[in-house]
Amino acid sequence: MTVGFIGLGSMGRPMALRLLAAGHRLGVYARRPEAAAALVDAGATAHPTPAAVAGTCDVVITMVTGTADVEEVLLGPDGVAQGARRGLVAIDMSTVSPLGTRRVAAALAARGVQMLDAPVTGGVAGAGNGTLTIMVGGEPAVLDRMKPVLACLGNNIVHMGGAGAGQTAKACNQLALLVTAEGVAEALALARRCGLDPASVRQALLGGIAASRVLDVFGARMIDRQLPAAFPSRLYHKDLHIVFDIARGAGQALPAASVVMEHIDTLMARDLGGQDISVLIELLEEAVK
Amino acid sequence: MTVGFIGLGSMGRPMALRLLAAGHRLGVYARRPEAAAALVDAGATAHPTPAAVAGTCDVVITMVTGTADVEEVLLGPDGVAQGARRGLVAIDMSTVSPLGTRRVAAALAARGVQMLDAPVTGGVAGAGNGTLTIMVGGEPAVLDRMKPVLACLGNNIVHMGGAGAGQTAKACNQLALLVTAEGVAEALALARRCGLDPASVRQALLGGIAASRVLDVFGARMIDRQLPAAFPSRLYHKDLHIVFDIARGAGQALPAASVVMEHIDTLMARDLGGQDISVLIELLEEAVK
């Protein structure tokens, strides 16, 4: 299959490389041409616009930041829909609002393009080794046709429902992840304030029922703030706003997530959005009742 | 070594059986004599009082509910200290307040008995197969001598510091566990209210960075409320009160844990303390903004 890939950031680049390595012909577009260089070196063809990518492909994957970006690359003047061949499938793997996703899916459908929303979890490591979890919304028949492509990227592909359902599931993922991170931060902050070694506490907790990947990965960064950052806090800020948009629409109270929202809002107000989310622990370390 | 075991409840019973199976001579005491029956059948000797257990043992392990129980069995009129031979070590594996533990350890030291606090995590399953994590407070030299006994019960034995430090680490464990449970409950409640299948969402989230043992074990019970309960909520209520006693003493704010405290207080007020902690999700399912 000829695959198009738009959005070659920290997640998109390793995902696109996996598609090439699996033998797919790959066309790419990046707003910053230098972002496409590594892919072109590996055998991909760079195109000047998303429409040009679409003109050569059976499926176009987008991995960008927000709903506005998704709308621009799929529906904009030089967007995918402009250049789409008959039967093109658009798979948006960005994390965006399910409301926006449903709007985009409807607009694409009106122009003959079928769409899946297929956001992922598993981080840059999972993107590199093809172990992402992919949460899919859209028609099951379209998902079945796209499985050979998605299977290059993830090993846990779960159909969640119609258009937008993948994004709703991803929002639930971010909600669970961020509240867990707050719990780990509170536990490690309390440990340190009581004179315990937080690294020993993390080690102990990893052996029991409080064990989590958040404790393992983010806990290590909360203890050693010099470790390299993974995702900047501002992306979680964006995601948590999506969570609350959904929750308000559905009438669901989220009291612990509200605490995290307040903390991440504080990080943003202090211009710390570029820092790893493990910076959450610093808010607790300064708060003395 | 001759080992005494006091407190043969859902955790204590399988732990005591492991000590017998490992070849230790075992003396037991239980307030309800029928609780000791399975142990006596397996080769243990039942004693009429904790003091009588202590009189025959090198080490006495206690696995009871609260500080008052620990004080009674160790320091009471028929308590361990009354019958202790020279060099006896008391290992309290209950989950109690570190403040109470330090008081008990000092009182025992004055009577020649050394004490370790060694609470555990890993649940009834971990108790049965010897895979508990054991968080230890007390003298490292005493822990070294007791390792052969503790190694029958757990495979992750972490020294956390002086007297009470094991209990402080356990409190941090319960804090992380309960906030994670609240996060999982909020995520699954939101999923259900948006029309997603919570079981599919759990399956997807288990593949990514939001994965946790809480999502695996408690998440399953939040989805299928008919699954057998593990620990009743009232024990977590007790533990969370210990967390806040410590946090207030140390001046540590715990905003997400405060949300959980309020929820568990609500459960207790509604006389739901006997239910599995997965009942937390029902509070979210009823709350419609």
Side-chain angles (χ1 to χ4, degrees):
Chain A
M1 228 181 290
T2 303
V3 182
F5 209 106
I6 296 172
L8 299 167
S10 57
M11 290 293 288
R13 196 165 42 245
M15 292 165 72
L17 284 169
R18 286 195 62 83
L19 291 165
L20 267 181
H24 292 289
R25 285 180 304 279
L26 193 74
V28 299
Y29 167 77
R31 260 182 294 199
R32 297 173 299 114
E34 64 273 22
L39 275 298
V40 172
D41 288 349
T45 305
H47 294 278
T49 63
V53 174
T56 66
C57 292
D58 309 300
V59 48
V60 174
I61 295 173
T62 47
M63 190 62 167
V64 294
T65 302
T67 296
D69 308 298
V70 174
E71 288 180 324
E72 184 191 329
V73 299
L74 291 179
L75 300 171
D78 293 316
V80 165
Q82 289 292 344
R85 300 192 299 190
R86 188 184 165 81
L88 180 79
V89 174
I91 307 179
D92 181 33
M93 304 187 78
S94 323
T95 294
V96 297
S97 156
L99 302 140
T101 289
R102 282 194 281 269
R103 202 168 58 227
V104 171
L108 285 174
R111 295 162 79 165
V113 177
Q114 292 181 294
M115 179 177 170
L116 298 175
D117 50 298
V120 303
T121 173
V124 172
N129 57 27
T131 57
L132 293 171
T133 283
I134 308 178
M135 292 158 269
V136 186
E139 288 297 324
V142 179
L143 171 57
D144 282 347
R145 276 195 287 138
M146 292 300 124
K147 277 242 172 101
V149 172
L150 293 176
C152 301
L153 305 175
N155 58 0
N156 185 27
I157 302 170
V158 188
H159 185 250
M160 306 304 315
Q167 297 295 352
T168 302
K170 175 66 186 278
C172 295
N173 184 82
Q174 301 305 78
L175 161 54
L177 185 164
L178 287 167
V179 175
T180 301
E182 173 69 23
V184 168
E186 293 187 9
L188 295 178
L190 179 61
R192 195 195 300 266
R193 208 178 286 270
C194 291
L196 300 189
D197 170 27
S200 298
V201 172
R202 171 178 167 276
Q203 190 54 44
L205 269 54
L206 282 174
I209 300 179
S212 63
R213 286 195 63 192
V214 166
L215 173 64
D216 188 9
V217 175
F218 298 176
R221 291 197 215 112
M222 289 178 190
I223 293 164
D224 181 356
R225 303 297 328 284
Q226 303 308 309
L227 288 174
F231 276 135
S233 298
R234 68 183 139 71
L235 293 182
Y236 288 116
H237 183 254
K238 177 201 75 166
D239 294 352
L240 208 43
H241 272 282
I242 295 171
V243 168
F244 277 93
D245 281 350
I246 299 171
R248 285 191 199 102
Q252 179 62 54
L254 302 174
S258 298
V259 166
V260 182
M261 183 85 260
E262 189 188 326
H263 286 185
I264 301 190
D265 277 343
T266 302
L267 295 179
M268 298 299 286
R270 294 186 190 176
D271 206 18
L272 296 172
Q275 293 212 17
D276 188 88
I277 192 68
S278 59
V279 71
L280 272 178
I281 198 170
E282 295 188 12
L283 296 178
L284 294 161
E285 286 174 343
E286 74 191 25
V288 179
K289 283 196 280 201
Chain B
M1 226 180 296
T2 303
V3 181
F5 209 106
I6 296 172
L8 300 168
S10 58
M11 290 293 288
R13 193 165 45 244
M15 293 165 70
L17 283 170
R18 285 195 63 85
L19 291 165
L20 267 181
H24 293 290
R25 286 181 302 279
L26 193 75
V28 300
Y29 166 78
R31 262 183 292 198
R32 296 173 299 115
E34 65 274 24
L39 276 297
V40 172
D41 288 348
T45 305
H47 293 279
T49 63
V53 174
T56 66
C57 292
D58 309 299
V59 49
V60 175
I61 294 173
T62 47
M63 191 62 169
V64 294
T65 301
T67 296
D69 307 297
V70 174
E71 287 180 323
E72 184 191 330
V73 299
L74 291 178
L75 300 169
D78 293 316
V80 165
Q82 288 292 343
R85 301 190 298 188
R86 186 185 165 81
L88 180 78
V89 174
I91 307 180
D92 180 35
M93 303 188 79
S94 323
T95 295
V96 296
S97 157
L99 302 140
T101 289
R102 282 194 281 270
R103 201 166 60 227
V104 171
L108 285 174
R111 295 163 80 165
V113 177
Q114 292 181 294
M115 179 176 170
L116 298 175
D117 50 297
V120 303
T121 173
V124 172
N129 57 25
T131 58
L132 294 171
T133 283
I134 309 178
M135 293 158 268
V136 186
E139 290 294 326
V142 179
L143 171 57
D144 281 345
R145 276 196 286 137
M146 291 301 123
K147 279 245 171 99
V149 173
L150 292 176
C152 301
L153 305 174
N155 58 359
N156 185 26
I157 302 170
V158 189
H159 184 250
M160 306 304 314
Q167 296 296 351
T168 302
K170 175 67 187 276
C172 294
N173 184 82
Q174 301 304 79
L175 160 54
L177 184 164
L178 287 167
V179 175
T180 302
E182 173 68 23
V184 167
E186 293 187 8
L188 294 178
L190 179 61
R192 194 194 302 265
R193 208 178 287 269
C194 291
L196 300 191
D197 170 27
S200 299
V201 172
R202 171 179 167 276
Q203 190 55 43
L205 270 54
L206 282 174
I209 300 180
S212 63
R213 286 195 63 192
V214 166
L215 173 64
D216 187 11
V217 175
F218 298 176
R221 291 197 215 110
M222 289 177 191
I223 293 165
D224 181 358
R225 304 297 328 287
Q226 304 307 311
L227 288 174
F231 278 135
S233 298
R234 68 182 139 71
L235 294 182
Y236 288 117
H237 183 254
K238 177 200 78 167
D239 294 353
L240 207 43
H241 272 281
I242 295 171
V243 168
F244 277 93
D245 281 350
I246 298 171
R248 286 192 197 101
Q252 179 63 54
L254 302 174
S258 298
V259 167
V260 183
M261 182 86 259
E262 188 187 324
H263 286 186
I264 301 190
D265 278 342
T266 302
L267 295 179
M268 298 298 287
R270 294 188 191 175
D271 206 18
L272 296 172
Q275 293 213 17
D276 188 86
I277 192 66
S278 58
V279 72
L280 271 179
I281 198 169
E282 295 188 12
L283 296 179
L284 294 160
E285 286 174 343
E286 74 192 24
V288 179
K289 284 197 278 199

